[in-house]
Amino acid sequence: MKQSHLFYKTRKEVPSDADSINASYLIRAGFVEKQMAGAYALLPLGLRVIKRIQNIVRQEMDSIGGQELLMNVLQPKEIYSETGRWEKMEEILYKIQTQNGKELALGPTHEEQVVTLAKGVISSYRDLPKAVYQIQTKFRKEARAKSGLLRGREFIMKDMYSFHDGEEDFEKFYELSKKVYLKIFGRFGLEVKIVEASGGVFSEFSHEFQLLTPQGEDEIYYCNKCDFAQNKEIAQFKAGDKCPNCDGEILVSNGIEVGNIFPLSTTFAEQIGCKYITNEGKEQYPVMGCYGLGITRCLGSVVEIMYDNAKNRMVWPKEVAPFDIHIISLNKNDIADSLYERLGPKFEVLYDDRELSAGQKFAEADLVGCPIRLIVSGKSLEAGGIEVIDMSKNSSTIVPIENIEKILNE
Ligand code: ATP
Ligand code: MG
């Protein structure tokens, strides 16, 4: 993509109501625009990152047997009649009406619809296990939308639901999902902790994936030696206590909840009447789990962790960067044009072909945050080629033009 074509504009001023690093950076750098509290538009740069995040999630969900589907944002009141959540989720449900007065909600989560769908698909133990997921915009009437993309009223979530013939098969899948979640967050460049949290009415614990950072709104008690970690909502510790599992010490930190998985047991299946016949010929309800992951919240979280406020610079992790490579031409457009044409089909390339000063181009490149920069200038050509800068290592080398692909593939 030529930068002269890109639908974007950087902003000098930090918007006065941007209450977080992620919102202020993403707006200034031209990745998102704020529509109103809790609702952000994804501009082309922001959407590129979101698509990469989504594709990583898709690959990993598919790798454990998940199948993608897409359920509805519009939910008729009736689908809640068996679970009672039309009333129980009152606080967060956006309720609207059709012209005939039929009541609807904008979907905040999809257990009711997915179990209703499963009812039509699962009738025998031979139909199990099954796991389906979607990546969709969710709506929640959050009392306070805050921290930019971290807590919105309209946000993108991946939600997966699994159905099993018995607890044992469920447990295996649940443990597998933990591993795959850690892999996903690792690919985003995020190191997260698995934290025990309240499981609601369904089971003793759910498991949250928490990014420990002062910017988080949750409070996490965790051991400095082993994997023990609990959310404040269930933890009965204070900092400095002894770990219940080893001789380590309990520390406390804020955290951002980027994912949350729940054992649902057979509760929803019983309520909605989703049954199957077991190998022994008995009627049984499938054991279920649900697996949420905040797609837009992850975009915000990567910024919270990676954005360098002092240098006013972002370096995106390779797998989620809006572009792999940023070609910057300093008055050498004929050579840069041909480099762009060569690399364009092989990599995701942004090419700054604009008539701007070097200072302006570098300041904007710092905001776009591509992990690799190729600088084509009189100076680099005199030195023997193109300057290749690996932004994450802050290392720079001059590479002959014909060797560029080789270096980039390393
Ligand atoms: P929280 O405790 O932060 O309100 P939750 O426990 O209600 O979240 P879940 O129902 O577990 O959220 O949703 C699954 C995932 O969706 C969360 O782990 C989070 O990453 C993301 N998410 C939830 N609510 C929001 C929101 N308002 N804005 C952005 N992402 C959200
Ligand atoms: Mg949660």
Side-chain angles (χ1 to χ4, degrees):
M1 159 95 53
K2 287 188 174 170
Q3 211 160 337
S4 56
H5 291 304
L6 186 62
F7 185 83
Y8 107 123
K9 194 103 210 165
T10 53
R11 296 233 215 126
K12 290 219 167 54
E13 300 300 317
V14 181
S16 63
D17 60 344
D19 60 344
S20 60
I21 294 173
N22 76 82
S24 111
Y25 159 74
L26 289 167
I27 294 171
R28 252 181 332 111
F31 282 62
V32 309
E33 197 54 83
K34 186 172 175 175
Q35 157 85 324
M36 58 183 165
Y40 291 83
L42 296 164
L43 302 182
L45 282 178
L47 186 59
R48 290 182 80 93
V49 179
I50 285 287
K51 281 185 176 168
R52 282 190 146 180
I53 290 176
Q54 291 176 340
N55 284 337
I56 291 171
V57 170
R58 285 198 175 96
Q59 280 172 12
E60 299 298 342
M61 292 297 103
D62 292 351
S63 80
I64 57 170
Q67 295 172 55
E68 188 170 3
L69 47 58
L70 188 55
M71 291 182 276
N72 299 96
V73 171
L74 289 181
Q75 299 185 333
K77 181 180 178 182
E78 298 82 73
I79 67 164
Y80 289 98
S81 58
E82 291 112 339
T83 62
R85 294 209 297 179
W86 184 263
E87 291 78 27
K88 277 187 228 152
M89 294 199 298
E90 176 73 30
E91 274 189 5
I92 61 154
L93 278 186
Y94 278 109
K95 295 182 179 175
I96 57 173
Q97 287 191 356
T98 66
Q99 60 275 45
N100 307 324
K102 189 175 157 61
E103 289 189 277
L104 311 173
L106 301 181
T109 178
H110 283 71
E111 283 80 3
E112 280 82 358
Q113 187 174 8
V114 81
V115 176
T116 306
L117 291 173
K119 212 169 141 175
V121 171
I122 295 165
S123 57
S124 151
Y125 70 95
R126 291 192 196 89
D127 299 324
L128 296 171
K130 288 276 186 300
V132 289
Y133 71 93
Q134 60 176 348
I135 297 178
Q136 185 194 49
T137 301
K138 299 278 194 263
F139 296 86
R140 292 186 183 180
K141 219 154 74 182
E142 299 282 355
R144 269 195 70 209
K146 57 178 178 181
S147 310
L149 300 188
L150 300 185
R151 183 170 297 285
R153 298 196 169 110
E154 173 186 339
F155 59 94
I156 305 172
M157 189 202 288
K158 184 280 299 178
D159 44 327
M160 179 164 74
Y161 305 88
S162 72
F163 301 83
H164 305 267
D165 181 15
E167 277 293 338
E168 202 179 311
D169 190 59
F170 162 74
E171 285 291 340
K172 262 202 309 210
F173 189 79
Y174 193 74
E175 291 309 311
L176 186 62
S177 79
K178 284 183 189 166
K179 288 209 185 91
V180 109
Y181 261 56
L182 292 178
K183 187 167 169 210
I184 291 171
F185 295 121
R187 292 180 68 181
F188 299 166
L190 301 177
E191 198 188 313
V192 304
K193 239 187 195 325
I194 300 182
V195 174
E196 291 172 346
S198 67
V201 291
F202 305 110
S203 59
E204 192 186 2
F205 295 128
S206 74
H207 295 87
E208 294 177 344
F209 295 80
Q210 290 276 357
L211 185 63
L212 300 189
T213 158
Q215 275 71 254
E217 62 175 84
D218 288 359
E219 213 171 289
I220 309 303
Y221 290 79
Y222 65 100
C223 176
N224 64 355
K225 276 199 179 162
C226 73
D227 288 337
F228 179 81
Q230 288 189 333
N231 193 305
K232 184 189 176 175
E233 57 179 24
I234 60 160
Q236 292 175 339
F237 295 97
K238 55 183 192 313
D241 280 356
K242 203 177 149 309
C243 173
N245 289 355
C246 75
D247 62 350
E249 185 190 327
I250 296 293
L251 305 179
V252 59
S253 166
N254 284 74
I256 301 172
E257 180 200 312
V258 283
N260 198 182
I261 60 174
F262 297 79
L264 297 179
S265 187
T266 54
T267 313
F268 283 108
E270 281 179 42
Q271 287 171 339
I272 295 167
C274 173
K275 288 185 246 186
Y276 68 98
I277 306 293
T278 67
N279 197 10
E280 290 81 39
K282 282 200 295 225
E283 266 197 347
Q284 184 59 269
Y285 297 103
V287 177
M288 283 183 64
C290 76
Y291 313 81
L293 188 152
I295 300 284
T296 31
R297 189 177 281 185
C298 281
L299 168 62
S301 299
V302 171
V303 175
E304 293 290 336
I305 300 297
M306 309 285 176
Y307 177 70
D308 184 336
N309 211 8
K311 292 190 185 138
N312 195 11
R313 172 196 289 182
M314 180 67 187
V315 181
W316 290 96
K318 273 204 177 72
E319 288 217 60
V320 299
F323 292 92
D324 302 321
I325 293 163
H326 201 167
I327 299 177
I328 299 171
S329 166
L330 303 182
N331 301 317
K332 288 289 164 202
N333 276 20
D334 45 341
I335 295 169
D337 280 350
S338 70
L339 183 65
Y340 171 63
E341 255 141 52
R342 248 172 62 199
L343 299 182
K346 298 174 195 148
F347 303 92
E348 300 279 340
V349 183
L350 179 65
Y351 167 31
D352 195 345
D353 58 333
R354 301 168 304 170
E355 301 287 326
L356 293 175
S357 71
Q360 278 172 301
K361 287 193 174 188
F362 287 133
E364 290 202 13
D366 280 350
L367 287 177
V368 176
C370 296
I372 302 283
R373 233 178 248 183
L374 303 182
I375 296 163
V376 187
S377 66
K379 217 170 97 191
S380 77
L381 295 169
E382 255 168 51
I386 310 290
E387 186 182 2
V388 179
I389 305 180
D390 182 334
M391 296 303 295
S392 63
K393 295 185 191 132
N394 233 334
S395 67
S396 149
T397 40
I398 299 287
V399 177
I401 296 187
E402 62 275 15
N403 293 351
I404 290 286
E405 280 95 337
K406 192 165 153 264
I407 291 285
L408 294 176
N409 283 323
E410 272 165 16

